[in-house]
Amino acid sequence: KYGQPLSDLVPDDSYVRAYDQQQTATYTQQVGEPVGLYFRGMDFADEAVQFKMLRAMDMVLQNEFINASTSAFQTNWYIQFNQWAAGQSATVAMPTNNCYNPYVGKITGQLAGVITPFVITGCVPKAQFYTLLNAYLLNTSSNQVVFTSPTAPRSIVSCSVSMMQTASYGNDKYPTDLMNSIGGLQTAVNDDLFSGEGSAYGDYTFFMYGSNYLSNEGQQILPDQALNYFMFALLGVGVVCLFMLVNPGAAILMMCAVGLVILFLFCELWVLKIRFNDVSIINMIMATGLSIDYNIYFAQKFMTLHADGTGNGRMRQALTDTGYAVFLGGLTALLGTVPMAFAKSSIIRTFFSLIFGTILFSLLVGLVLMPVIFSLLPMPPVRSVLIAAATDMEGPPEQLDHPGQAKSGNDSDIEGAASSEPLLPGYEADIEARQPDYERQPDHEGQPDHEGQQATLGMKVDTEAHR
């Protein structure tokens, strides 16, 4: 489902919720909502401009989302003013200039027998336009006309007429389809009729506006905006993981992990009938950041381990080192979201559903699916400055004996222990350079130097521990 019902903005026990739901079920879905047609930046007294206004109304009435029959009952200041001016036939000569009533022939159904459109015989003459309009407004109030000043002499700055949209009949795609159609209609009217009027408003000399357009237009662009965000977010995850894991395959798997969580959330929207709107998309945007947290720890540990050299062995060791902590972190986060499930606001309950789902799906992907995939793919341990630094901070790696190395007594405990991983290039030379001179040269008197031997033994311990 699409859209954000206004009733979701209030608590469950608010009287406004029942009122809005009833209003939507009857007025919006069965009758339609009003919409205004706005004109500005033109010489409205000009007969040619009057004709273009009527022509614009005709184009709007032909739109599939405008109900011409119910629109005929809405206030239209110009047609009423034209009818009044035509009644002053003794003093007014109405030039034809192709002016006509756009409602003629468009009222259908039972309403056709209720109202008969007035037949316009001509436009109001320019020379008498404002004189007649001021006289007309003495006995008729209208909020559809905006003047340059409250008293004569004055001219029209902008004006509007009212029409009715078709009913939505509960179609969730109605707002998006409506805005797409109205956007094309506005462009056509401005290009075909008002492009040569020299209006300072350009493409917005004519425009349409309804009370539902604010939310509808946001809903219209939401799918494209969400798709763009997810694509850029996945790209960002891939770039950052490439620097952290130093393996393109591992970075791609992290992108897939985040993408799977987002896909599962879309499935949750469908299963739980949660609307796709601003509230749900905020949660899904947050999910791109939350989901990577539950995947990257295992991946980084896996890429630094050698273990027994097999994928399964590295997977078991990585899960042993990180799995328990990641699981506990996810469990506590899940428990922290539970109070939101009992909120009286549907928006907060939507947050609960999607945040809970994000954490749950991320744990499943990060601790169940990704470990299996990593163990099956050929991904040798990566040696990099970043990973070496991370390993040093965590402590010495697993100590394994070098093949063929002799061990005897305490010397085997001190010198025989070494990492199964090869040292980084230049590391051996660096250790040799750190050994003091007295370790390699005898005492100048030829006597045993017990303190030197103790210092040498201590240096060997430190050196081997560093190795």
Side-chain angles (χ1 to χ4, degrees), residues 39 42-59 78 82 95-102 120 122-124 129 189 192-194 197:
F39 305 86
M42 298 176 289
D43 182 7
F44 294 95
D46 190 345
E47 293 92 339
V49 172
Q50 297 177 47
F51 165 75
K52 291 179 179 180
M53 288 175 56
L54 294 171
R55 177 60 183 148
M57 297 178 203
D58 194 354
M59 294 176 66
Y78 178 78
N82 188 290
T96 303
N97 202 24
N98 298 322
C99 287
Y100 65 101
N101 191 334
I120 293 178
C123 298
V124 179
F129 184 87
V189 170
D192 296 347
L193 300 177
F194 301 117
E197 292 301 320

Side-chain angles (χ1 to χ4, degrees), residues 292-412:
I292 191 62
D293 287 345
Y294 298 94
N295 289 271
I296 192 63
Y297 294 111
F298 164 81
Q300 189 177 28
K301 193 67 177 179
F302 182 90
M303 297 305 297
T304 63
L305 288 175
H306 185 275
D308 60 0
T310 66
N312 285 336
R314 294 169 64 197
M315 176 192 69
R316 287 194 297 268
Q317 185 62 48
L319 284 177
T320 300
D321 293 345
T322 64
Y324 184 68
V326 172
F327 176 77
L328 285 184
L331 181 61
T332 54
L334 286 174
L335 294 176
T337 64
V338 171
M340 291 192 295
F342 304 98
K344 292 184 178 181
S345 170
S346 61
I347 292 180
I348 297 180
R349 291 197 300 271
T350 298
F351 266 84
F352 161 73
S353 300
L354 294 178
I355 294 297
F356 190 94
T358 297
I359 300 172
L360 180 61
F361 297 144
S362 299
L363 286 174
L364 291 175
V365 173
L367 298 182
V368 178
L369 180 60
M370 284 297 123
V372 174
I373 296 177
F374 269 80
S375 68
L376 296 176
L377 297 179
M379 291 189 184
V382 177
R383 307 301 299 173
S384 69
V385 175
L386 178 62
I387 294 178
T391 305
D392 290 340
M393 287 189 293
E394 292 176 3
E398 297 178 7
Q399 304 295 320
L400 297 176
D401 295 334
H402 287 296
Q405 183 176 12
K407 296 187 296 183
S408 62
N410 295 333
D411 290 342
S412 64

Side-chain angles (χ1 to χ4, degrees), residues 68 77 94 158 200 219 242 265 350 363 371 384 424 428 457:
W77 75 271
M94 303 287 286
S158 63
Q219 185 65 35
L242 182 61
L265 288 177
T350 298
L363 286 174
S384 69
L424 293 174
E428 186 75 35
L457 179 59

Side-chain angles (χ1 to χ4, degrees), residues 67 72 208 226 244 258 306 320 331 380 398 409 444 447:
N67 190 327
M208 299 173 62
M244 295 182 65
V258 175
H306 185 275
T320 300
L331 181 61
E398 297 178 7
H444 67 282
Q447 300 297 326

Side-chain angles (χ1 to χ4, degrees), residues 92-415:
V92 179
M94 303 287 286
T96 303
N97 202 24
N98 298 322
C99 287
Y100 65 101
N101 191 334
Y103 287 96
V104 174
K106 293 185 176 62
I107 301 177
T108 59
Q110 297 180 351
L111 295 179
V114 178
I115 185 172
T116 301
F118 164 72
V119 178
I120 293 178
T121 58
C123 298
V124 179
K126 181 175 182 179
Q128 298 175 276
F129 184 87
Y130 282 109
T131 301
L132 293 171
L133 182 59
N134 290 329
Y136 169 72
L137 293 177
L138 289 176
N139 299 317
T140 304
S141 60
S142 175
N143 60 357
Q144 294 183 331
V145 182
V146 178
F147 292 96
T148 55
S149 64
T151 59
R154 57 184 179 175
S155 60
I156 297 177
V157 176
S158 63
C159 64
S160 64
V161 297
S162 297
M163 291 188 181
M164 291 293 293
Q165 296 171 172
T166 57
S168 64
Y169 299 109
N171 181 11
D172 286 328
K173 294 189 65 178
Y174 177 89
T176 300
D177 295 339
L178 168 68
M179 298 311 300
N180 288 333
S181 180
I182 294 302
L185 176 61
Q186 290 180 157
T187 300
V189 170
N190 282 295
D191 290 346
D192 296 347
L193 300 177
F194 301 117
S195 59
E197 292 301 320
S199 171
Y201 300 101
D203 292 339
Y204 295 95
T205 298
F206 164 83
F207 68 94
M208 299 173 62
Y209 177 77
S211 60
N212 58 341
Y213 282 18
L214 286 176
S215 58
N216 288 355
E217 191 160 344
Q219 185 65 35
Q220 177 191 16
I221 66 174
L222 190 59
D224 291 339
Q225 292 290 323
L227 179 61
N228 290 338
Y229 172 79
F230 291 136
M231 296 299 294
F232 282 111
L234 290 177
L235 181 61
V237 168
V239 171
V240 174
C241 289
L242 182 61
F243 280 99
M244 295 182 65
L245 304 177
V246 202
N247 186 297
I252 292 175
L253 285 179
M254 290 295 97
M255 295 172 64
C256 293
V258 175
L260 279 175
V261 173
I262 300 300
L263 178 61
F264 292 155
L265 288 177
F266 272 106
C267 295
E268 183 182 0
L269 291 182
W270 180 74
V271 172
L272 300 182
K273 295 180 171 54
I274 300 174
R275 289 182 175 271
F276 180 74
N277 52 33
D278 296 335
V279 175
S280 58
I281 199 63
I282 288 174
N283 284 270
M284 300 180 78
I285 288 173
M286 295 169 58
T288 59
L290 292 174
S291 58
I292 191 62
D293 287 345
Y294 298 94
N295 289 271
I296 192 63
Y297 294 111
F298 164 81
Q300 189 177 28
K301 193 67 177 179
F302 182 90
M303 297 305 297
T304 63
L305 288 175
H306 185 275
D308 60 0
T310 66
N312 285 336
R314 294 169 64 197
M315 176 192 69
R316 287 194 297 268
Q317 185 62 48
L319 284 177
T320 300
D321 293 345
T322 64
Y324 184 68
V326 172
F327 176 77
L328 285 184
L331 181 61
T332 54
L334 286 174
L335 294 176
T337 64
V338 171
M340 291 192 295
F342 304 98
K344 292 184 178 181
S345 170
S346 61
I347 292 180
I348 297 180
R349 291 197 300 271
T350 298
F351 266 84
F352 161 73
S353 300
L354 294 178
I355 294 297
F356 190 94
T358 297
I359 300 172
L360 180 61
F361 297 144
S362 299
L363 286 174
L364 291 175
V365 173
L367 298 182
V368 178
L369 180 60
M370 284 297 123
V372 174
I373 296 177
F374 269 80
S375 68
L376 296 176
L377 297 179
M379 291 189 184
V382 177
R383 307 301 299 173
S384 69
V385 175
L386 178 62
I387 294 178
T391 305
D392 290 340
M393 287 189 293
E394 292 176 3
E398 297 178 7
Q399 304 295 320
L400 297 176
D401 295 334
H402 287 296
Q405 183 176 12
K407 296 187 296 183
S408 62
N410 295 333
D411 290 342
S412 64
D413 297 331
I414 299 174
E415 298 179 359

